[in-house]
Amino acid sequence: MRHAATLLAAAVLLTAAALPARADVVVYCSADEKICRGLVTLFTKETGIKAEMTRQSSGETYARVRAEKENPRGDVWWAGTGDPHLQAAEEGLTEEYHSPLLPKLRDWAVKQAERAKFRTVGVYMGALGFGYNREELARRKLAAPKCWADLIKPEFKGEVQMADPNSSGTAYTMLATLVQLWGEEKAFDYLKKLNVNINEYTKSGSAPVMAAGQGETMIGVAFQHDVVMVALTGKPLVTVSPCEGTGYEVGSMSLIKGGRNPVDARKFYDWALGVSAQSIMPKFASYQVPSNAAVPVPKEAPDLSTIKLIDYDFAKYGSAAERRRLLARWTTEVKGAPR
Amino acid sequence: MMPLAARAWAVALAVPALLLPWYGQESLLAALRAGDAMPLAMVAWARPWLLPLLAVPLVALAASWRDAPRLLVAVSLAGLAWLCLESLAITHRGWAWAWIGGLLGAAPTQPALGWGALGYALACTMLAAAGLARRGWCRGDMFVLGAILLILGAILIFVFWPVMTVLISAVRDNDGAFAPVLFWEKFSDRSIWGLECLSDARSCGAAWNTLFLAVLVGVLSTLLGLAFALVALRTGLPLKGPIRLLSLLPIITPPFVIGLALIIMFGRAGFITSFLYQTFDIPRSRWLYGWPGVAIAQLLAFTPIAFLVLVGVLQAVAPSLEEAAGTLRAGRWHIFRTITWPLIRPGLANAFLIGFIESMADFGNPLMLGGSFNVLSTDIFFAVVGAAHDQGRAAILGIVLLAFTMAAFTSQRLWVGTRSYTTVTGKGDGGVPPPLPLGLRAACYATVLPWLALTVVVYGIILGGGFVVSVGRDHTPTLKYFLTAFSIDRGVGGWFLSGSAWSSFLTTMQLSVIAMPLTAALGLLTAWLLARQEFRGRGAFEFLTMMSFAIPGTVIGISYILAFNTPPVELTGTGTILVLAFMFRNMPVGIRAGIASLAQIDKSLDEASLTLGARSGRTFRLVILPILRPAIIAAMVYSFVRAVTAVSAVIFLTTAQYQLATVYIVGRAEIGEYGIALAYSAVLIVVMVAALIAIRALVGEQRIGRRQADTGAVPIGLSAS
């Protein structure tokens, strides 16, 4: 029994010892662990400011920022698809900031900032597309899919995987893209036909391309840079940019309102928009288009000149009301339809 | 005369008021660092609403010396009530409720409560207990009363309050306004209660899916567990050891990895699927994704628990009864049907309900393998973090899940709790159980052996998969993944831990070790109160203790942020909140283990000690605790491994300093780095086995002057209930 009491006492002491050290800036990061870690380390190295990083998906980070709004713990929210950033801006969870680097950014990044009344800014851009598994395709001796329209061909029955737009920003981007490309009625006609070919609506947006890489499905809908990232780990994946044109995401960054380290947070913000931060991205297998105009597009990245980008209306399709309406319609008419 | 203890506590009440810092700046713990942390006696002059609190110790001192228990109870409860009220009403940003501002004018502010307030609340509670004991409550036993009040307070703060902050959002819209119509609209949604799968190929609502899966897993895991128990105890096959060993493994397996192993084997590109396709031309399909895959993964995880329950029950069936029937010329089938079966029926019910509840609470397997098959636990998660961001829906799904689990708990108590099936008496039993009927034995072998093979292969993949290049495809041994995670390098400043997993690994171990004895102590003390003490409201008390277990982890995680991110209790971002989450989530395990062990100890022992003049605190320490060793071991082991393998409850509570192993593993598996995920899991499993052995050695075996009967496995968790 004496041992148990000792353990108890030791536990109490250990708890007291577990005091957190204060950091100069707390970064909520919604990219892959490797990228997040690398970025923060580089920031500390170049500026001497101690940064701390917590990694979660963009949906999780949004939920966290929202839950913490009465007493925020984070200072900057870096990366992750633009929609939750826009929604946070709409709800006033993030701070307005005009970075001195804004004029050095590419158009789409500044537009993202204007849309949110400068409560967020674009840090990278990536086009939507899909990836197919070369080996699986060869095994079935099928022609490679090149367009959105190819995905509803009968030979791909049960071979296409996409995420559920109710839970994934990637899949919601696809839904909004098709609506803007063809008009709402035609888009939903297409999605109903596609529903027959879908083998699974995954919960997470990155799951379909992972599954395609493993051969668990032939085709997975994803952002093209994610397809490239998985392909470079040695998986037989081919990136496709749909011939009809496609939408894109603007990976964003926001200052969290009421953060405890506003000065250093702004330093991180400016630094993350600068050349040195944005040019190391390919080193961490991140192949998006950087927002700083002086940084070249990585050579592994999907060739932008061959991608037909639509003029994606983030203001309309990023708004909570329109999103709720489209998702409700998709859930009843497409997901709820018999297969 | 007032007992000395009351006077001591009255003096003790003055200590936090005069000496300890009343407010914590960042958190309860960080208060020690802040230079301006002042005790109550200093801060109260600037914040006049604290002045009444200063009066409490004075009145309490007078009351305890004058022997005025009624006054003592009144003043200490008033102190507690005022403390709660003022700290809830005045937040760090002013009035908590705007209408007070209209009445009282400008808003004052105050930071989160610190050590001083904690000590103050503690002393007030104990004073109330002393007063009540003096008034004759609980036979005047202050230890019992104090324990009840403290545990009740802790549960109200760390379980009831946070859970309510989440559930309240069920009747609110996304902006926080009251919207009961929306509640009904969301509650009756087709995605929860739809029954389309019966008529066409669409999928059913998540509530029905969850129920279907839980019943399926409950029934099958019970049958499989029974088959294993029969093979282990009633046949000559030398499988007892291996089965026992395998029965421990799923408990210490991090979530997700069983699903991962199944995909590597049976996925469309899995190696068994590919083999079948190449050799027998069996078409490759995605049958695994959906309820079949989830059910298999859950069976692998929960069958051992059913086995542990049933092995105990089967051992308790006195063989002499069966032998007697045999002497009376009953056939083997007849004996099994009319004697063995009825005697193990309560065990079967128990095993079924455990499988049922575990399946409903499971989060990792449906996430990996669910496909389009929606269940409540994952739907809750994605209602919170998904593109729809609908916390109200999460709360409603949480209520549905809570209702299901509570119904299961209640039926378990009603069905199993009231009957006695005991056949173990103080007398020895020299009977030898008759062999199983032939048909039954064949059936048992036919299920047990293939399942055992499957389990072995699955664990082969989990333990070995991280040490080959690509499991199922390229089996060249490699340390690549292990070294990425756990390498140690030599740099300028000497040796340092350069692997990417070290920080999460060390944090996990530190927090789990801290949580282990605290969880066990809290659970066992509660168990003793529930099993040995009579007090009003015991049923409600028990319900509250089980609440945190019945609530899905994701809801707990979000609720802890909502409740503990702002004053009066500000804990987010600390390790303390993780330890608390572990403690209160796993406490029911300790309670169940404790109650089960206490049920075997005759009350006459306690009574003898009390008659000899020992007070109940002393009796608990010197009589009950030593006999409870097995329960202590079980509670400690289980709270440790549960803390190490927890994921859904802590995913929102981890921060940069407090990364956890499971969250890291999930992150790796998410982006397809299976090698690292598996290598890390293997390390965790090895460490947990080592910890298990160490705890056993440290706490020691049960010291009872009795022949060492084969007590079966430790009563793990709910299985003991």
Side-chain angles (χ1 to χ4, degrees), chain A residues 82 86 107-116 120-122 250 252 314:
Chain A
L86 288 176
D107 259 3
W108 45 264
V110 182
K111 262 193 208 149
Q112 176 81 348
E114 287 165 355
R115 227 171 268 137
T120 192
V121 69
V250 176
S252 303
F314 285 97

Side-chain angles (χ1 to χ4, degrees), chain B residues 519-582:
Chain B
T519 314
L522 187 66
L524 291 176
L525 188 62
T526 313
W528 178 70
L529 291 177
L530 287 174
R532 281 293 206 263
Q533 304 299 327
E534 301 284 335
F535 53 92
R536 238 177 298 161
R538 202 173 59 177
F541 190 72
E542 188 170 6
F543 177 84
L544 275 178
T545 61
M546 299 311 286
M547 203 166 157
S548 71
F549 199 72
I551 289 165
T554 317
V555 177
I556 295 266
I558 282 284
S559 73
Y560 265 50
I561 292 195
L562 288 175
F564 302 125
N565 189 51
T566 50
V569 186
E570 189 178 341
L571 293 168
T572 44
T574 63
T576 316
I577 196 172
L578 286 164
V579 172
L580 285 169
F582 290 150

Side-chain angles (χ1 to χ4, degrees), chain B residues 162-177:
Chain B
V163 167
M164 283 303 138
T165 54
V166 165
L167 294 190
I168 199 84
S169 55
V171 288
R172 288 186 175 162
D173 63 14
N174 255 13
D175 303 319

Side-chain angles (χ1 to χ4, degrees), chain B residues 635-659:
Chain B
M636 296 231 291
V637 165
Y638 211 68
S639 67
F640 177 74
V641 298
R642 279 255 170 185
V644 172
T645 58
V647 62
S648 55
V650 295
I651 208 157
F652 285 102
L653 302 177
T654 55
T655 59
Q657 295 115 1
Y658 297 103
Q659 306 277 358

